[in-house]
């Protein structure tokens, strides 16, 4: 069965609104979660590393005020795209790492379309 | 950019032929992984090869790793139309918990 639940799987919103994407670990406690963005026909780019109970670490070029990450519990990390614009339209994928196991699990992804 | 490079960017073959994709990376790694992604979908983990391994097999997949050249290859033998997808290598750089993806190869297998 699924180990990671990512929701919503797709969302369409108007420019200027904020969108929250959830990544939930179903079977284990995930101390670290990673968020990736994938533009059409391109590869996955790491956006940020989310650690439970502490601030996320963002990759160079990723605006922390635009992409708010909250990892409030060991089973849930959220990515909020604030004041979304059409250029934020992308496929967002979370990745979890099992605590102590090193196993990697990916969410199914969330496709964001900003009109 | 940290991102690895893959070639070819796109590959079209007939069913039954073999498909070879190459990946080059920049830093020392703990392991290298290959993933498959159908259009607009999530990732499917195919195979992981550790830095101290040189070759690994899984069904019709064969992966090689040359750490001296910082390169890896994925061979899909006897390809099928259902193998049509994008394939990505991903490296786990040494001493980090990050996973850095390559640029990807889009494989089209014609029946």
């Amino acid at each position: 069965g699924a180990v990671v639940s990512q929701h919503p799987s797709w969302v369409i919103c108007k420019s200027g609104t904020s969108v929250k994407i959830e990544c939930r670990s179903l079977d284990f406690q995930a101390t670290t979660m990673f968020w990736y963005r994938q533009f059409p026909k391109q590869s996955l780019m790491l956006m940020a590393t989310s650690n439970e109970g502490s601030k996320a670490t963002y990759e160079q070029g990723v605006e922390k005020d635009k992409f708010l990450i909250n990892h409030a519990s060991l089973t849930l990390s959220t990515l909020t795209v604030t004041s979304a614009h059409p250029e934020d339209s992308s496929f967002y994928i979370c990745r979890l790492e099992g605590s102590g196991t090193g196993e990697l699990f990916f969410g199914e992804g969330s496709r964001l379309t900003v009109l | 950019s940290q991102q690895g490079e893959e070639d070819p960017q796109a590959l079209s073959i007939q069913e039954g032929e073999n498909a070879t994709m190459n990946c080059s990376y920049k830093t020392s790694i703990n392991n290298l992984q290959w993933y498959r992604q159908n259009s607009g979908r999530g990732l499917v983990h195919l195979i992981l090869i550790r830095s101290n391994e040189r070759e690994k097999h899984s069904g019709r997949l064969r992966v090689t790793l040359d750490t001296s050249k910082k390169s890896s290859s994925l061979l899909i033998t006897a390809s099928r139309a259902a193998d049509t997808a994008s394939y990505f290598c991903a490296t786990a750089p040494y001493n980090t918990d990050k996973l850095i993806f390559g640029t990807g190869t889009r494989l089209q297998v014609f029946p």
Side-chain angles (χ1 to χ4, degrees):
Chain A
V3 176
V4 182
S5 171
Q6 189 171 339
H7 177 83
S9 54
W10 58 271
V11 58
I12 301 173
C13 70
K14 291 183 178 178
S15 188
T17 59
S18 294
V19 175
K20 181 186 284 188
I21 300 169
E22 292 187 351
C23 183
R24 197 176 293 272
S25 171
L26 301 179
D27 286 348
F28 59 91
Q29 295 180 332
T31 54
T32 306
M33 296 187 183
F34 302 83
W35 287 96
Y36 292 82
R37 177 170 56 183
Q38 184 181 31
F39 292 111
K41 293 189 180 357
Q42 294 189 27
S43 186
L44 283 78
M45 297 297 294
L46 179 63
M47 298 175 68
T49 303
S50 164
N51 294 295
E52 186 268 335
S54 64
K55 290 184 179 179
T57 304
Y58 290 81
E59 295 299 304
Q60 194 172 11
V62 178
E63 300 172 57
K64 60 180 69 174
D65 294 330
K66 176 146 185 80
F67 298 100
L68 301 180
I69 291 173
N70 187 313
H71 193 157
S73 78
L74 287 169
T75 58
L76 177 64
S77 175
T78 60
L79 167 68
T80 301
V81 183
T82 62
S83 187
H85 290 280
E87 56 266 29
D88 298 323
S89 297
S90 188
F91 193 55
Y92 293 88
I93 304 177
C94 66
R95 171 172 82 83
L96 279 58
E97 188 154 325
S99 178
T101 67
E103 277 192 271
L104 306 181
F105 303 95
F106 282 87
E108 281 296 304
S110 299
R111 183 163 302 285
L112 170 64
T113 301
V114 185
L115 303 177
Chain B
S1 166
Q2 293 182 344
Q3 199 169 41
E5 298 289 325
E6 286 184 60
D7 78 271
Q9 289 187 352
L11 179 62
S12 295
I13 58 176
Q14 293 291 131
E15 253 188 340
E17 294 180 339
N18 296 341
T20 300
M21 292 159 255
N22 302 294
C23 167
S24 60
Y25 57 91
K26 298 179 180 177
T27 65
S28 296
I29 60 172
N30 289 319
N31 63 69
L32 185 144
Q33 302 170 40
W34 284 90
Y35 288 86
R36 166 200 168 116
Q37 184 183 37
N38 287 353
S39 180
R41 306 291 295 276
L43 295 169
V44 175
H45 180 260
L46 296 176
I47 200 164
L48 179 152
I49 185 166
R50 301 189 190 285
S51 60
N52 61 352
E53 297 176 310
R54 291 296 166 257
E55 189 170 311
K56 205 160 182 179
H57 296 254
S58 176
R60 293 185 295 114
L61 306 180
R62 174 178 165 250
V63 167
T64 63
L65 178 63
D66 187 334
T67 52
S68 66
K69 295 181 180 177
K70 289 187 168 61
S71 67
S72 174
S73 67
L74 169 68
L75 168 68
I76 303 175
T77 60
S79 63
R80 305 167 183 167
D83 294 330
T84 294
S86 290
Y87 292 82
F88 296 94
C89 67
T91 53
Y94 186 66
N95 269 348
T96 80
D97 52 8
K98 295 182 181 180
L99 193 63
I100 308 298
F101 283 82
T103 49
T105 295
R106 290 191 304 280
L107 174 67
Q108 174 85 50
V109 181
F110 291 100

